[in-house]
Amino acid sequence: MSWSVRRIPRVPVRFAAVTVALASAVLGLTAPVQASPATADPAGTPTAARPANVTIPPFVGGPITRQNIINRAQYWVNQQVPYDRTAYRGDLHGRPYRTDSGGLVSMAWRLGTSATPRTLPHHSTRLGGVDELQPGDALSNGMGRAAVFVEWTDALRTSATVIELAGPGTVAHRTQYSANLITLGRFKPYRFNRVIEIPVVIPDKGMTNITPAGDLNGDGAPDVIAVETATGDLYRYSGPSYGGGTRVKIGHGWTSISDIAGVGDLTGDGVSDILAVEAGTGDLYRYSGPGFGGSTRVQIGHGWDSMAQVTAVGDQTGDGAPDVIAIERSTGDLYRYAGPGYGGSTRAKIGHGWNIYDTVVGVGDQTGDGIADILAVHAQTGELFRHSGPGYGGATKVKLGDGWDAMINLAGIGDLTGDGVPDLLAVETATQKLFRYSGPGFEENTRVQIGTNW
């Protein structure tokens, strides 16, 4: 059985911890926030008094990366912060912001004050059009509604994923703004003046969507497939070394695919198959091995662009067919889909709050109970956790390590070391080196470099 992870490559960002005491003593940047009387914003709506005796972190109002903006906005989503224009809620560091649409954007941008949709432009630059929006920018109509832009949901930009705290009776949540809503709602695009622009460098030989695909060449070792970022070509690498000498091109045009999951044999021919989500349409396809050519492609679902981290977990339902799990983007709920069709009628909700993870990977049975486990990397902390099947509930969550935000393209590959425990492949973002980690703990001292230019 093969296991796979879906993760969009990103630049890892680490923040040094600066204590309030040190900042106060050395930099003179912290001070208690004094309570202030309730005032009215420019639209005439009363705003709440800011809580007293709250220390301002020294980085408030300073430069911030796009990823950190998204992470901060997501924090309120995870906390299910309710809309209340008379209340404040803390960010990750306890800094209070008003719990309305302007307050959410202010918190995400890490402003020193809770701006309103009308005053957000004082801290930002209006873009020439919505086509210029990038993650961490904002949409505001200047009248009472603002949201953090996350991404376009499709290549044609017919709708955008945003994080907002829209109005009474709502909580911070992810949702979609259609292009018509953006236009008719008179939303304008804005970019925080102090956002840090980190250029994305696409290496010539950089690979993505690294996916275990079983033994495709009959040598007894598990193979992987991967998409070359620069060309969209699909390659097969043979185990257990996955060196460049084993690389064979088996397809092209795979840049249109956003998610790939190796699920094992779905067609009964004894060869592993894969599932793939087409980015532009959200359609789910099955491709048959060993070549995964277009002639083997069969559409088996649609609407899968609403899901993230499509991950194979073996047969969880006992029907003899491998299953997958996936996270619903808008809610963070975790769902299991039963194979071989993975239709909506087989969908079962098995968890919530899973949008705290930006990596989920199936790694087989790590605990010895005969049921497949998964690994997950926390988006904000870089911590690695193991969740045990079949429910993957919080009670089964075990922390295994730190610093995993420095790695991408994790893939559970099966037992490469002969100790009977499945191992893990991962690429170091900064160096593009491929490493093997031994289960069940995947500790640093088990790490072995086995490749370059990944």
Side-chain angles (χ1 to χ4, degrees), residues 10 32 61 66 79 95-97 101 107 124 159 212 220 223 231 249 288 297 299 303-304 373 387 426 436-437 441:
R10 61 182 176 83
R66 294 188 179 280
Q79 297 296 311
R95 166 74 177 172
Y97 292 88
S101 65
M107 184 275 294
S124 59
S159 66
D223 304 319
T231 65
K249 179 178 174 180
S288 297
R297 167 172 153 147
Q299 182 181 344
W304 282 75
D373 306 312
H387 289 256
R436 183 192 73 225
Y437 291 80

Side-chain angles (χ1 to χ4, degrees), residues 6-206:
R6 298 284 54 81
R7 183 183 185 188
I8 298 174
R10 61 182 176 83
V11 178
V13 180
R14 311 298 297 273
F15 293 93
V18 181
T19 64
V20 170
L22 178 61
S24 179
V26 179
L27 302 177
L29 292 174
T30 60
V33 178
Q34 300 300 319
S36 57
T39 59
D41 67 16
T45 305
T47 58
R50 181 179 296 154
N53 301 319
V54 177
T55 302
I56 305 174
F59 44 77
V60 163
I64 187 170
T65 65
R66 294 188 179 280
Q67 185 63 56
N68 201 16
I69 291 173
I70 300 299
N71 289 347
R72 288 173 60 83
Q74 185 63 46
Y75 176 70
W76 270 17
V77 174
N78 298 342
Q79 297 296 311
Q80 294 287 282
V81 173
Y83 181 97
D84 186 348
R85 296 216 64 185
T86 66
Y88 278 73
R89 180 67 71 91
D91 64 3
L92 283 162
H93 305 279
R95 166 74 177 172
Y97 292 88
R98 194 177 57 249
T99 52
D100 59 12
S101 65
L104 183 145
V105 177
S106 302
M107 184 275 294
W109 283 357
R110 207 167 55 198
L111 299 183
T113 184
S114 294
T116 68
R118 185 171 294 178
T119 60
L120 281 172
H122 299 169
H123 308 274
S124 59
T125 300
R126 181 171 166 179
L127 303 176
V130 294
D131 286 345
E132 297 180 23
L133 282 167
Q134 296 183 43
D137 293 338
L139 285 165
S140 175
N141 64 9
M143 297 179 288
R145 193 169 177 183
V148 175
F149 175 81
V150 178
E151 63 181 357
W152 293 106
T153 61
D154 56 77
L156 298 178
R157 300 184 176 181
T158 61
S159 66
T161 298
V162 301
I163 297 176
E164 68 170 4
L165 189 51
T170 68
V171 298
H173 63 283
R174 286 193 177 216
T175 189
Q176 276 74 50
Y177 281 8
S178 68
N180 285 339
L181 173 62
I182 294 172
T183 300
L184 296 177
R186 298 183 178 181
F187 285 95
K188 303 297 186 294
Y190 294 92
R191 179 163 299 157
F192 180 43
N193 289 333
R194 304 207 67 185
V195 69
I196 300 172
E197 301 288 1
I198 300 178
V200 178
V201 179
I202 301 177
D204 291 341
K205 299 298 183 181

Side-chain angles (χ1 to χ4, degrees), residues 7 10 67 70-80 92 163 174 308-309 327-329 331-334 351-360 375-385 387 392-394 397 405:
R7 183 183 185 188
R10 61 182 176 83
Q67 185 63 56
I70 300 299
N71 289 347
R72 288 173 60 83
Q74 185 63 46
Y75 176 70
W76 270 17
V77 174
N78 298 342
Q79 297 296 311
Q80 294 287 282
L92 283 162
I163 297 176
R174 286 193 177 216
Q309 312 288 351
I327 301 169
E328 190 171 56
R329 295 180 189 273
T331 64
D333 292 337
L334 181 68
H352 63 275
W354 280 75
N355 44 13
I356 63 172
Y357 297 123
D358 66 355
T359 296
V360 176
L375 302 180
V377 178
H378 196 289
Q380 296 173 359
T381 66
E383 295 171 305
L384 180 69
F385 294 94
H387 289 256
Y392 308 108
K397 177 176 175 177
D405 49 352

